[in-house]
Amino acid sequence: MKILILNGPNLNLLGLRQPEVYGQTTLDEIHQACQAHGKMLGVEVKCAQSNHEGELIDWIHKTRATPTGIVLNAGAYTHTSIALMDAIASVERPVVEVHLSNIHQREEFRHTSYISKVARGMICGLGPHGYVLAMDALAQVLKNES
Ligand SMILES: O=C(O)[C@]1(O)C=C(c2cccc(Sc3ccccc3)c2)[C@@H](O)[C@H](O)C1
């Protein structure tokens, strides 16, 4: 059983600017926490980040090879990418969308998510803990569907 932690554009800069919105935790610290939680869950965890839409799509396509749950924070692509939406729909793998901030309390343009249209569920506004909660949900989904 595998879980892919996939992060989109600019999230590699987490913790460096705008701590009031995205907190002070770095992406590397989030990935370390996900790896530790994966060990507790007994699942293999792969963490990746890309600023490039096509590279994120390639990561999603690779999940066709093995039963994998996907934790996806697509960053700004959340609000624009029909290509990411189609990639998720094409692999038929469970996806939990995660956002550090509560996108529904922010600018209007962040209230639309193409990812939510094809994701199993969405967690937003809970900071880095949202990734751990998403992993718990996916571990249960993967167990039920295996
Ligand atoms: O809340 C999120 O996790 C979100 O996915 C993350 C986003 C985001 C946007 C810009 C930068 C970053 S990461 C960052 C934050 C502060 C300084 C540098 C980079 C995330 C937004 O595009 C999304 O609307 C919301």
Side-chain angles (χ1 to χ4, degrees), residues 7-19 21-23 73-79 98-103 106-107 109-110 124-125 131:
N7 284 286
N10 299 304
L11 287 156
N12 54 303
L13 300 176
L14 266 186
L16 306 179
R17 295 195 339 258
Q18 289 182 281
V21 178
Y22 298 107
N73 183 344
Y77 287 146
T78 302
H79 317 297
V98 170
H99 298 288
L100 295 158
S101 66
N102 185 333
I103 58 175
R106 302 184 63 195
E107 304 93 328
F109 71 86
R110 297 188 199 273
C124 72
Y131 288 81

Coordinates of all heavy atoms in Angstrom, one line a residue, residues 7-19 21-23 73-79 98-103 106-107 109-110 124-125 131, ligand 1:
N7 N 3.0 17.9 -4.0 CA 2.8 19.4 -3.7 C 3.2 20.2 -5.0 O 4.1 19.8 -5.7 CB 3.7 19.8 -2.6 CG 3.2 19.4 -1.2 OD1 2.2 20.0 -0.7 ND2 3.8 18.4 -0.6
G8 N 2.4 21.2 -5.2 CA 2.5 22.0 -6.4 C 3.3 23.2 -6.3 O 4.2 23.3 -5.4
P9 N 3.1 24.2 -7.2 CA 4.0 25.3 -7.3 C 4.1 26.2 -6.1 O 3.2 26.4 -5.4 CB 3.3 26.1 -8.5 CG 1.9 25.7 -8.5 CD 1.9 24.3 -8.1
N10 N 5.3 26.7 -5.9 CA 5.7 27.6 -4.8 C 5.8 27.0 -3.4 O 6.3 27.6 -2.5 CB 4.8 28.8 -4.8 CG 4.9 29.6 -6.1 OD1 5.9 30.0 -6.5 ND2 3.7 29.8 -6.8
L11 N 5.2 25.8 -3.3 CA 5.2 25.2 -1.9 C 6.6 24.8 -1.5 O 6.9 24.6 -0.3 CB 4.3 24.0 -1.9 CG 2.8 24.4 -1.9 CD1 1.9 23.3 -2.5 CD2 2.3 24.8 -0.6
N12 N 7.6 24.8 -2.4 CA 9.0 24.6 -2.0 C 9.5 25.7 -1.2 O 10.6 25.6 -0.5 CB 9.9 24.3 -3.3 CG 9.7 25.5 -4.3 OD1 8.6 25.7 -4.7 ND2 10.8 26.1 -4.6
L13 N 8.8 26.9 -1.2 CA 9.2 28.1 -0.5 C 8.5 28.2 0.8 O 8.7 29.2 1.5 CB 8.9 29.3 -1.4 CG 9.6 29.4 -2.7 CD1 9.2 30.6 -3.5 CD2 11.1 29.3 -2.6
L14 N 7.8 27.2 1.2 CA 7.0 27.3 2.5 C 7.9 27.6 3.7 O 9.1 27.1 3.7 CB 6.4 25.9 2.7 CG 4.9 25.7 2.3 CD1 4.4 24.4 2.8 CD2 4.0 26.8 2.8
G15 N 7.4 28.4 4.6 CA 8.1 28.6 5.8 C 9.1 29.8 5.7 O 9.6 30.3 6.7
L16 N 9.2 30.2 4.4 CA 10.2 31.3 4.2 C 9.5 32.7 4.1 O 10.1 33.7 4.5 CB 11.0 31.1 2.9 CG 11.7 29.7 2.8 CD1 12.3 29.5 1.4 CD2 12.6 29.5 3.9
R17 N 8.3 32.7 3.6 CA 7.5 34.0 3.5 C 6.1 33.8 3.9 O 5.6 32.6 3.9 CB 7.6 34.5 2.1 CG 9.0 34.9 1.7 CD 9.1 35.8 0.5 NE 8.0 35.7 -0.4 CZ 7.9 35.0 -1.5 NH1 9.0 34.3 -1.9 NH2 6.9 35.1 -2.3
Q18 N 5.4 34.8 4.2 CA 3.9 34.8 4.5 C 3.6 33.8 5.6 O 2.6 33.0 5.5 CB 3.1 34.5 3.3 CG 3.0 35.6 2.3 CD 2.1 35.2 1.1 OE1 2.6 34.5 0.2 NE2 0.9 35.7 1.1
P19 N 4.3 33.7 6.7 CA 4.0 32.7 7.8 C 2.6 33.0 8.3 O 2.0 32.0 8.8 CB 5.1 32.9 8.8 CG 5.7 34.3 8.5 CD 5.5 34.5 7.1
V21 N 0.0 33.4 6.8 CA -1.0 32.6 6.0 C -0.7 31.1 5.9 O -1.6 30.3 6.1 CB -1.0 33.2 4.5 CG1 -2.0 32.4 3.7 CG2 -1.3 34.6 4.5
Y22 N 0.6 30.8 5.7 CA 0.9 29.4 5.5 C 1.8 28.8 6.6 O 2.2 27.6 6.5 CB 1.7 29.3 4.2 CG 0.8 29.7 3.0 CD1 1.1 30.9 2.3 CD2 -0.2 28.9 2.6 CE1 0.3 31.3 1.3 CE2 -1.0 29.3 1.5 CZ -0.7 30.5 0.8 OH -1.5 30.9 -0.2
G23 N 2.0 29.5 7.7 CA 2.7 29.0 8.8 C 4.2 29.0 8.6 O 4.7 29.4 7.5
N73 N -1.6 18.8 -2.7 CA -1.8 20.2 -2.5 C -1.3 20.8 -3.8 O -0.1 20.9 -4.0 CB -1.0 20.7 -1.3 CG -1.2 22.2 -1.1 OD1 -1.7 22.9 -2.0 ND2 -0.9 22.7 0.0
A74 N -2.2 21.1 -4.7 CA -1.8 21.6 -6.1 C -1.5 23.1 -6.1 O -1.3 23.7 -7.2 CB -2.9 21.3 -7.1
G75 N -1.5 23.8 -4.9 CA -1.2 25.2 -4.9 C -2.2 26.0 -5.8 O -3.4 25.6 -5.9
A76 N -1.6 26.9 -6.5 CA -2.4 27.7 -7.4 C -3.1 27.0 -8.5 O -4.1 27.4 -9.1 CB -1.6 28.9 -7.9
Y77 N -2.5 25.8 -8.9 CA -3.1 25.0 -10.0 C -4.4 24.5 -9.6 O -5.2 24.1 -10.4 CB -2.1 23.9 -10.4 CG -0.9 24.2 -11.1 CD1 0.3 23.5 -11.0 CD2 -0.9 25.3 -12.1 CE1 1.4 23.8 -11.7 CE2 0.3 25.6 -12.8 CZ 1.4 24.9 -12.6 OH 2.6 25.2 -13.3
T78 N -4.7 24.5 -8.3 CA -6.0 24.1 -7.8 C -7.1 24.8 -8.5 O -8.2 24.2 -8.8 CB -6.1 24.4 -6.3 OG1 -5.1 23.7 -5.6 CG2 -7.5 24.0 -5.7
H79 N -6.9 26.1 -8.7 CA -7.9 27.0 -9.2 C -8.0 27.2 -10.7 O -8.9 27.9 -11.2 CB -7.7 28.3 -8.5 CG -7.4 28.3 -7.1 ND1 -8.2 27.7 -6.1 CD2 -6.2 28.6 -6.4 CE1 -7.6 27.7 -4.9 NE2 -6.4 28.3 -5.1
V98 N -5.6 18.7 -0.2 CA -5.2 19.4 1.0 C -4.7 20.8 0.7 O -4.1 21.1 -0.3 CB -4.0 18.6 1.7 CG1 -3.4 19.5 2.9 CG2 -4.5 17.3 2.2
H99 N -5.2 21.7 1.6 CA -4.7 23.1 1.5 C -4.3 23.5 2.9 O -5.1 23.3 3.9 CB -5.7 24.1 1.0 CG -6.1 23.8 -0.5 ND1 -5.3 24.0 -1.5 CD2 -7.2 23.1 -0.9 CE1 -5.9 23.6 -2.6 NE2 -7.1 23.0 -2.3
L100 N -3.2 24.2 3.1 CA -2.7 24.6 4.4 C -3.7 25.7 4.9 O -4.1 25.7 6.1 CB -1.3 25.2 4.3 CG -0.2 24.2 3.9 CD1 1.0 24.9 3.4 CD2 0.2 23.4 5.2
S101 N -4.1 26.6 4.0 CA -5.0 27.7 4.4 C -6.4 27.3 4.1 O -6.7 26.4 3.3 CB -4.6 28.9 3.6 OG -4.9 28.7 2.2
N102 N -7.4 28.0 4.7 CA -8.8 27.8 4.4 C -9.1 28.6 3.2 O -9.4 29.8 3.3 CB -9.6 28.2 5.6 CG -11.1 27.9 5.4 OD1 -11.6 27.8 4.2 ND2 -11.8 27.6 6.4
I103 N -9.1 28.0 2.0 CA -9.3 28.7 0.8 C -10.6 29.4 0.7 O -10.8 30.4 -0.1 CB -9.1 27.8 -0.5 CG1 -10.0 26.6 -0.4 CG2 -7.6 27.3 -0.5 CD1 -10.0 25.7 -1.7
R106 N -10.6 33.1 1.9 CA -9.6 33.9 1.2 C -10.2 34.6 0.0 O -11.4 34.6 -0.2 CB -8.3 33.1 0.9 CG -7.7 32.5 2.2 CD -6.4 31.8 1.9 NE -5.4 32.8 1.3 CZ -4.3 32.4 0.7 NH1 -4.1 31.1 0.5 NH2 -3.4 33.2 0.3
E107 N -9.4 35.0 -1.0 CA -9.9 35.7 -2.1 C -10.9 34.8 -2.9 O -10.7 33.6 -3.0 CB -8.7 36.1 -3.1 CG -7.7 36.9 -2.5 CD -6.5 36.1 -1.9 OE1 -6.7 34.9 -1.4 OE2 -5.3 36.6 -1.9
F109 N -11.2 34.1 -6.0 CA -10.7 33.2 -7.0 C -10.1 31.9 -6.4 O -10.0 30.9 -7.1 CB -9.6 33.9 -7.9 CG -8.3 34.2 -7.1 CD1 -7.3 33.2 -7.1 CD2 -8.1 35.4 -6.5 CE1 -6.1 33.4 -6.4 CE2 -6.9 35.6 -5.8 CZ -5.9 34.7 -5.8
R110 N -9.8 31.9 -5.1 CA -9.3 30.7 -4.5 C -10.5 29.7 -4.0 O -10.3 28.6 -3.6 CB -8.5 31.0 -3.3 CG -7.2 31.8 -3.6 CD -6.3 31.9 -2.4 NE -5.3 33.0 -2.5 CZ -4.2 32.8 -3.1 NH1 -3.8 31.6 -3.7 NH2 -3.3 33.9 -3.3
C124 N -8.9 21.6 4.3 CA -8.3 22.9 4.2 C -8.3 23.7 5.5 O -9.2 23.4 6.3 CB -8.9 23.7 3.1 SG -10.5 24.4 3.4
G125 N -7.3 24.5 5.7 CA -7.3 25.4 6.9 C -6.7 24.8 8.1 O -6.7 25.5 9.2
Y131 N -2.2 17.2 6.1 CA -1.6 16.1 5.4 C -1.7 14.8 6.1 O -1.9 13.8 5.6 CB -0.1 16.5 5.1 CG 0.2 17.6 4.1 CD1 0.1 18.9 4.5 CD2 0.5 17.2 2.8 CE1 0.3 19.9 3.6 CE2 0.8 18.2 1.9 CZ 0.7 19.6 2.3 OH 1.0 20.6 1.3
Ligands
LIG1 O1 -3.4 26.9 1.2 C1 -2.7 26.2 0.4 O2 -2.0 25.2 0.8 C2 -2.7 26.6 -1.1 O3 -2.9 25.4 -1.9 C3 -1.4 27.2 -1.4 C4 -1.2 28.3 -2.2 C5 0.1 28.9 -2.3 C6 0.3 30.1 -3.0 C7 1.5 30.7 -3.0 C8 2.6 30.3 -2.3 C9 2.4 29.1 -1.6 S1 3.7 28.4 -0.7 C10 4.5 29.9 -0.1 C11 3.9 30.6 0.9 C12 4.6 31.7 1.4 C13 5.8 32.1 0.9 C14 6.4 31.3 -0.1 C15 5.7 30.2 -0.7 C16 1.2 28.5 -1.6 C17 -2.3 28.9 -2.9 O4 -2.0 29.1 -4.3 C18 -3.6 28.1 -2.8 O5 -4.7 29.0 -3.2 C19 -3.8 27.6 -1.4

